Amino acid sequence: MITGKTAVAGVAGNPVAHSLSPLIHNAWLAAAGIDGVYVAFQPPADGFRRFAEGLRGGAVRGINVTVPFKEAAFEAADEMTGRARAAGAVNLLLFRPDGTVAADNTDGEGLIGALAHQAGFDPESGPAVILGAGGAARGAATTLAAEGCPDIRIVNRTLSRAQAIAELVAGRAFPLDRCEGALEGAAVVINATTAGLSGQAPIDVPLHLTRDDAVAMDMVYKPLVTPFLARAQARGLRTVDGLEMLIRQAAPSFEAFFGRPPPPEVDVRGLALATLEAGA
Ligand code: NAP
């Protein structure tokens, strides 16, 4: 039921129709009995700034921000949390009634929560390899550093981008085509690339070089078991999927929009899996 008092929040991306965030947030809203709705917005690729300016004042409480707008959202904010500033990108904007825009980045919290929940992984336990050097990789690197990871190795097709993140976290950078040194003795390997998404070959790195008890995680969740995770499973590694990260970054966003944590009894993972399986 939409009423005269319905609170509105949403997600902005381009494209955005594939997003599972509306499914997750609206299931939580319904179960919590909150008069609210969570919708998807698709601003033009070069129009995020205009879109965000138009929301100043709080007619919409806030939005999650996904590809390709996380850097633009960083620029659109008046103030932000330390973790958002460190990540250089935001996935959450809040539109305050006084016209100001506050920002946060809950992706790192989602990442750490997913690693702990699905694999019992502790960031202090050993070297971390991050594949990719975009916004997601940067957020992962700064979060792992803040959580006490002793050795962060960034692997990327474009070495200069890996070097820029490595400098931020006192880590090391490796080119994708010569990354053996990065994988050697790794405790966790996280795929934060978009390789494989647009018809190119999926990411392939020498997973046999990691510790035998290492964890492999893929931020991509379509399909849930990506070729990268399938290779990790074949090698006997514990795996963590991108859907768990998505749900765990959504929970603090929900609380920021609607003032209370999501109701724990809703099986949003089951709902999302059913949607993925149906090919939506
Ligand atoms: P991005 O800024 O566009 O970065 C893409 C990265 O992928 C770059 O490092 C790029 O390398 C690399 N790459 C692209 N094509 C490649 C190929 N064919 N071979 C090797 N490397 C390739 O993207 P992003 O915002 O960081 O997001 C990365 C992924 O994480 C996306 O799939 C996104 O949906 C996902 N993500 C998931 C969650 C979640 O909650 N599950 C949260 C955040 C992000 P170059 O630098 O060489 O171009």
Side-chain angles (χ1 to χ4, degrees), residues 7-41:
V8 181
V11 55
N14 189 337
V16 77
H18 66 285
S19 174
L20 290 176
S21 293
L23 179 83
I24 292 169
H25 283 268
N26 286 314
W28 281 335
L29 283 167
I34 295 173
D35 187 0
V37 66
Y38 184 101
V39 295
F41 298 106

mmCIF file of all heavy atoms in Angstrom, residues 7-41:
data_model
loop_
_atom_site.group_PDB
_atom_site.id
_atom_site.type_symbol
_atom_site.label_atom_id
_atom_site.label_comp_id
_atom_site.label_asym_id
_atom_site.label_seq_id
_atom_site.Cartn_x
_atom_site.Cartn_y
_atom_site.Cartn_z
ATOM 1 N N ALA A 7 7.469 6.613 2.790
ATOM 2 C CA ALA A 7 8.862 7.064 2.667
ATOM 3 C C ALA A 7 9.482 6.387 1.444
ATOM 4 O O ALA A 7 9.273 5.198 1.215
ATOM 5 C CB ALA A 7 9.640 6.674 3.923
ATOM 6 N N VAL A 8 10.229 7.169 0.665
ATOM 7 C CA VAL A 8 10.808 6.640 -0.582
ATOM 8 C C VAL A 8 12.332 6.590 -0.467
ATOM 9 O O VAL A 8 12.977 7.549 -0.046
ATOM 10 C CB VAL A 8 10.414 7.525 -1.792
ATOM 11 C CG1 VAL A 8 10.994 6.949 -3.093
ATOM 12 C CG2 VAL A 8 8.901 7.660 -1.892
ATOM 13 N N ALA A 9 12.891 5.442 -0.861
ATOM 14 C CA ALA A 9 14.342 5.298 -1.011
ATOM 15 C C ALA A 9 14.555 4.496 -2.295
ATOM 16 O O ALA A 9 13.580 4.081 -2.942
ATOM 17 C CB ALA A 9 14.954 4.585 0.189
ATOM 18 N N GLY A 10 15.794 4.298 -2.685
ATOM 19 C CA GLY A 10 15.994 3.555 -3.923
ATOM 20 C C GLY A 10 17.438 3.288 -4.237
ATOM 21 O O GLY A 10 18.322 3.460 -3.395
ATOM 22 N N VAL A 11 17.650 2.825 -5.473
ATOM 23 C CA VAL A 11 19.007 2.559 -5.965
ATOM 24 C C VAL A 11 19.145 3.238 -7.320
ATOM 25 O O VAL A 11 18.213 3.212 -8.124
ATOM 26 C CB VAL A 11 19.282 1.039 -6.071
ATOM 27 C CG1 VAL A 11 18.258 0.311 -6.922
ATOM 28 C CG2 VAL A 11 20.695 0.761 -6.595
ATOM 29 N N ALA A 12 20.308 3.852 -7.555
ATOM 30 C CA ALA A 12 20.556 4.493 -8.849
ATOM 31 C C ALA A 12 21.713 3.797 -9.534
ATOM 32 O O ALA A 12 22.782 3.605 -8.943
ATOM 33 C CB ALA A 12 20.883 5.979 -8.647
ATOM 34 N N GLY A 13 21.502 3.406 -10.776
ATOM 35 C CA GLY A 13 22.548 2.764 -11.576
ATOM 36 C C GLY A 13 22.186 2.905 -13.041
ATOM 37 O O GLY A 13 21.095 3.364 -13.383
ATOM 38 N N ASN A 14 23.099 2.510 -13.909
ATOM 39 C CA ASN A 14 22.794 2.530 -15.350
ATOM 40 C C ASN A 14 23.679 1.502 -16.040
ATOM 41 O O ASN A 14 24.868 1.753 -16.203
ATOM 42 C CB ASN A 14 23.033 3.921 -15.928
ATOM 43 C CG ASN A 14 22.514 4.029 -17.354
ATOM 44 O OD1 ASN A 14 22.366 3.011 -18.042
ATOM 45 N ND2 ASN A 14 22.246 5.232 -17.803
ATOM 46 N N PRO A 15 23.115 0.321 -16.395
ATOM 47 C CA PRO A 15 21.716 -0.082 -16.244
ATOM 48 C C PRO A 15 21.404 -0.459 -14.797
ATOM 49 O O PRO A 15 22.316 -0.695 -14.010
ATOM 50 C CB PRO A 15 21.624 -1.308 -17.153
ATOM 51 C CG PRO A 15 23.004 -1.891 -17.132
ATOM 52 C CD PRO A 15 23.945 -0.727 -17.017
ATOM 53 N N VAL A 16 20.110 -0.537 -14.486
ATOM 54 C CA VAL A 16 19.743 -0.851 -13.105
ATOM 55 C C VAL A 16 18.627 -1.895 -13.022
ATOM 56 O O VAL A 16 18.349 -2.424 -11.949
ATOM 57 C CB VAL A 16 19.355 0.447 -12.347
ATOM 58 C CG1 VAL A 16 17.957 0.909 -12.732
ATOM 59 C CG2 VAL A 16 19.511 0.299 -10.844
ATOM 60 N N ALA A 17 18.016 -2.223 -14.167
ATOM 61 C CA ALA A 17 16.847 -3.109 -14.145
ATOM 62 C C ALA A 17 17.164 -4.482 -13.549
ATOM 63 O O ALA A 17 16.287 -5.152 -13.000
ATOM 64 C CB ALA A 17 16.298 -3.277 -15.560
ATOM 65 N N HIS A 18 18.437 -4.907 -13.622
ATOM 66 C CA HIS A 18 18.847 -6.219 -13.122
ATOM 67 C C HIS A 18 19.030 -6.218 -11.600
ATOM 68 O O HIS A 18 19.222 -7.276 -10.995
ATOM 69 C CB HIS A 18 20.189 -6.595 -13.755
ATOM 70 C CG HIS A 18 21.274 -5.673 -13.297
ATOM 71 N ND1 HIS A 18 21.387 -4.392 -13.779
ATOM 72 C CD2 HIS A 18 22.228 -5.819 -12.345
ATOM 73 C CE1 HIS A 18 22.404 -3.787 -13.168
ATOM 74 N NE2 HIS A 18 22.930 -4.629 -12.291
ATOM 75 N N SER A 19 19.000 -5.030 -10.966
ATOM 76 C CA SER A 19 19.380 -4.935 -9.548
ATOM 77 C C SER A 19 18.452 -5.757 -8.647
ATOM 78 O O SER A 19 17.231 -5.719 -8.800
ATOM 79 C CB SER A 19 19.338 -3.473 -9.091
ATOM 80 O OG SER A 19 19.565 -3.412 -7.696
ATOM 81 N N LEU A 20 19.049 -6.454 -7.687
ATOM 82 C CA LEU A 20 18.258 -7.212 -6.712
ATOM 83 C C LEU A 20 17.934 -6.363 -5.484
ATOM 84 O O LEU A 20 17.208 -6.808 -4.600
ATOM 85 C CB LEU A 20 19.033 -8.465 -6.275
ATOM 86 C CG LEU A 20 19.186 -9.561 -7.330
ATOM 87 C CD1 LEU A 20 20.063 -10.696 -6.789
ATOM 88 C CD2 LEU A 20 17.830 -10.119 -7.752
ATOM 89 N N SER A 21 18.459 -5.144 -5.419
ATOM 90 C CA SER A 21 18.247 -4.314 -4.224
ATOM 91 C C SER A 21 16.767 -4.006 -3.965
ATOM 92 O O SER A 21 16.327 -4.078 -2.813
ATOM 93 C CB SER A 21 19.060 -3.021 -4.330
ATOM 94 O OG SER A 21 20.434 -3.328 -4.284
ATOM 95 N N PRO A 22 15.946 -3.674 -4.995
ATOM 96 C CA PRO A 22 14.526 -3.433 -4.700
ATOM 97 C C PRO A 22 13.842 -4.656 -4.078
ATOM 98 O O PRO A 22 13.061 -4.528 -3.123
ATOM 99 C CB PRO A 22 13.932 -3.090 -6.078
ATOM 100 C CG PRO A 22 15.085 -2.496 -6.824
ATOM 101 C CD PRO A 22 16.281 -3.312 -6.397
ATOM 102 N N LEU A 23 14.165 -5.841 -4.592
ATOM 103 C CA LEU A 23 13.583 -7.068 -4.036
ATOM 104 C C LEU A 23 13.926 -7.200 -2.547
ATOM 105 O O LEU A 23 13.068 -7.465 -1.698
ATOM 106 C CB LEU A 23 14.152 -8.261 -4.817
ATOM 107 C CG LEU A 23 13.698 -9.640 -4.382
ATOM 108 C CD1 LEU A 23 12.353 -9.940 -5.013
ATOM 109 C CD2 LEU A 23 14.708 -10.703 -4.804
ATOM 110 N N ILE A 24 15.201 -6.996 -2.232
ATOM 111 C CA ILE A 24 15.686 -7.170 -0.855
ATOM 112 C C ILE A 24 15.040 -6.135 0.080
ATOM 113 O O ILE A 24 14.458 -6.479 1.118
ATOM 114 C CB ILE A 24 17.228 -7.047 -0.836
ATOM 115 C CG1 ILE A 24 17.860 -8.232 -1.574
ATOM 116 C CG2 ILE A 24 17.761 -6.924 0.590
ATOM 117 C CD1 ILE A 24 19.359 -8.084 -1.848
ATOM 118 N N HIS A 25 15.134 -4.855 -0.286
ATOM 119 C CA HIS A 25 14.633 -3.805 0.611
ATOM 120 C C HIS A 25 13.110 -3.865 0.761
ATOM 121 O O HIS A 25 12.583 -3.649 1.853
ATOM 122 C CB HIS A 25 15.066 -2.424 0.096
ATOM 123 C CG HIS A 25 16.500 -2.113 0.381
ATOM 124 N ND1 HIS A 25 16.932 -1.459 1.514
ATOM 125 C CD2 HIS A 25 17.628 -2.396 -0.320
ATOM 126 C CE1 HIS A 25 18.255 -1.328 1.495
ATOM 127 N NE2 HIS A 25 18.707 -1.895 0.392
ATOM 128 N N ASN A 26 12.390 -4.139 -0.341
ATOM 129 C CA ASN A 26 10.919 -4.163 -0.226
ATOM 130 C C ASN A 26 10.440 -5.368 0.585
ATOM 131 O O ASN A 26 9.418 -5.279 1.273
ATOM 132 C CB ASN A 26 10.274 -4.112 -1.619
ATOM 133 C CG ASN A 26 10.395 -2.716 -2.224
ATOM 134 O OD1 ASN A 26 10.123 -1.714 -1.556
ATOM 135 N ND2 ASN A 26 10.842 -2.637 -3.463
ATOM 136 N N ALA A 27 11.185 -6.478 0.538
ATOM 137 C CA ALA A 27 10.831 -7.629 1.386
ATOM 138 C C ALA A 27 11.023 -7.257 2.860
ATOM 139 O O ALA A 27 10.176 -7.577 3.712
ATOM 140 C CB ALA A 27 11.703 -8.837 1.025
ATOM 141 N N TRP A 28 12.098 -6.561 3.161
ATOM 142 C CA TRP A 28 12.329 -6.112 4.546
ATOM 143 C C TRP A 28 11.253 -5.109 4.974
ATOM 144 O O TRP A 28 10.733 -5.184 6.099
ATOM 145 C CB TRP A 28 13.709 -5.456 4.658
ATOM 146 C CG TRP A 28 14.864 -6.425 4.749
ATOM 147 C CD1 TRP A 28 14.830 -7.716 5.209
ATOM 148 C CD2 TRP A 28 16.234 -6.166 4.378
ATOM 149 N NE1 TRP A 28 16.092 -8.263 5.145
ATOM 150 C CE2 TRP A 28 16.968 -7.349 4.654
ATOM 151 C CE3 TRP A 28 16.912 -5.067 3.853
ATOM 152 C CZ2 TRP A 28 18.349 -7.451 4.410
ATOM 153 C CZ3 TRP A 28 18.280 -5.155 3.625
ATOM 154 C CH2 TRP A 28 18.989 -6.345 3.901
ATOM 155 N N LEU A 29 10.912 -4.168 4.089
ATOM 156 C CA LEU A 29 9.895 -3.156 4.424
ATOM 157 C C LEU A 29 8.558 -3.820 4.749
ATOM 158 O O LEU A 29 7.907 -3.476 5.739
ATOM 159 C CB LEU A 29 9.713 -2.181 3.247
ATOM 160 C CG LEU A 29 10.802 -1.125 3.082
ATOM 161 C CD1 LEU A 29 10.692 -0.431 1.726
ATOM 162 C CD2 LEU A 29 10.746 -0.100 4.209
ATOM 163 N N ALA A 30 8.166 -4.787 3.901
ATOM 164 C CA ALA A 30 6.875 -5.451 4.101
ATOM 165 C C ALA A 30 6.862 -6.192 5.439
ATOM 166 O O ALA A 30 5.906 -6.086 6.208
ATOM 167 C CB ALA A 30 6.615 -6.419 2.944
ATOM 168 N N ALA A 31 7.957 -6.921 5.719
ATOM 169 C CA ALA A 31 7.994 -7.712 6.957
ATOM 170 C C ALA A 31 8.031 -6.819 8.195
ATOM 171 O O ALA A 31 7.485 -7.173 9.236
ATOM 172 C CB ALA A 31 9.207 -8.639 6.939
ATOM 173 N N ALA A 32 8.668 -5.662 8.076
ATOM 174 C CA ALA A 32 8.777 -4.759 9.228
ATOM 175 C C ALA A 32 7.525 -3.892 9.379
ATOM 176 O O ALA A 32 7.380 -3.167 10.366
ATOM 177 C CB ALA A 32 10.008 -3.859 9.067
ATOM 178 N N GLY A 33 6.628 -3.946 8.385
ATOM 179 C CA GLY A 33 5.405 -3.130 8.446
ATOM 180 C C GLY A 33 5.702 -1.638 8.342
ATOM 181 O O GLY A 33 4.969 -0.806 8.880
ATOM 182 N N ILE A 34 6.771 -1.286 7.641
ATOM 183 C CA ILE A 34 7.136 0.130 7.476
ATOM 184 C C ILE A 34 6.416 0.688 6.243
ATOM 185 O O ILE A 34 6.354 0.025 5.202
ATOM 186 C CB ILE A 34 8.670 0.268 7.305
ATOM 187 C CG1 ILE A 34 9.384 -0.175 8.584
ATOM 188 C CG2 ILE A 34 9.051 1.701 6.934
ATOM 189 C CD1 ILE A 34 10.906 -0.229 8.457
ATOM 190 N N ASP A 35 5.868 1.882 6.382
ATOM 191 C CA ASP A 35 5.214 2.554 5.249
ATOM 192 C C ASP A 35 6.312 3.176 4.391
ATOM 193 O O ASP A 35 6.619 4.368 4.485
ATOM 194 C CB ASP A 35 4.244 3.625 5.770
ATOM 195 C CG ASP A 35 3.417 4.238 4.647
ATOM 196 O OD1 ASP A 35 3.601 3.834 3.476
ATOM 197 O OD2 ASP A 35 2.603 5.132 4.946
ATOM 198 N N GLY A 36 6.913 2.336 3.559
ATOM 199 C CA GLY A 36 8.024 2.806 2.729
ATOM 200 C C GLY A 36 8.099 1.999 1.452
ATOM 201 O O GLY A 36 7.497 0.926 1.325
ATOM 202 N N VAL A 37 8.843 2.522 0.494
ATOM 203 C CA VAL A 37 9.024 1.832 -0.782
ATOM 204 C C VAL A 37 10.447 2.085 -1.269
ATOM 205 O O VAL A 37 11.036 3.129 -0.971
ATOM 206 C CB VAL A 37 7.967 2.291 -1.823
ATOM 207 C CG1 VAL A 37 8.157 3.752 -2.209
ATOM 208 C CG2 VAL A 37 8.000 1.419 -3.072
ATOM 209 N N TYR A 38 11.007 1.102 -1.987
ATOM 210 C CA TYR A 38 12.384 1.197 -2.477
ATOM 211 C C TYR A 38 12.328 0.930 -3.978
ATOM 212 O O TYR A 38 11.904 -0.142 -4.419
ATOM 213 C CB TYR A 38 13.236 0.155 -1.761
ATOM 214 C CG TYR A 38 14.719 0.199 -2.086
ATOM 215 C CD1 TYR A 38 15.619 0.796 -1.208
ATOM 216 C CD2 TYR A 38 15.220 -0.378 -3.244
ATOM 217 C CE1 TYR A 38 16.988 0.819 -1.475
ATOM 218 C CE2 TYR A 38 16.577 -0.363 -3.526
ATOM 219 C CZ TYR A 38 17.455 0.230 -2.629
ATOM 220 O OH TYR A 38 18.808 0.246 -2.903
ATOM 221 N N VAL A 39 12.725 1.927 -4.769
ATOM 222 C CA VAL A 39 12.574 1.832 -6.225
ATOM 223 C C VAL A 39 13.923 1.985 -6.932
ATOM 224 O O VAL A 39 14.897 2.428 -6.332
ATOM 225 C CB VAL A 39 11.599 2.918 -6.751
ATOM 226 C CG1 VAL A 39 10.205 2.696 -6.227
ATOM 227 C CG2 VAL A 39 12.093 4.309 -6.371
ATOM 228 N N ALA A 40 13.949 1.601 -8.207
ATOM 229 C CA ALA A 40 15.178 1.724 -9.001
ATOM 230 C C ALA A 40 15.097 2.966 -9.883
ATOM 231 O O ALA A 40 14.071 3.223 -10.519
ATOM 232 C CB ALA A 40 15.361 0.483 -9.860
ATOM 233 N N PHE A 41 16.195 3.728 -9.915
ATOM 234 C CA PHE A 41 16.290 4.927 -10.760
ATOM 235 C C PHE A 41 17.408 4.716 -11.771
ATOM 236 O O PHE A 41 18.483 4.237 -11.403
ATOM 237 C CB PHE A 41 16.667 6.157 -9.926
ATOM 238 C CG PHE A 41 15.669 6.526 -8.859
ATOM 239 C CD1 PHE A 41 15.944 6.277 -7.518
ATOM 240 C CD2 PHE A 41 14.470 7.147 -9.184
ATOM 241 C CE1 PHE A 41 15.047 6.638 -6.518
ATOM 242 C CE2 PHE A 41 13.566 7.509 -8.195
ATOM 243 C CZ PHE A 41 13.852 7.254 -6.858
#
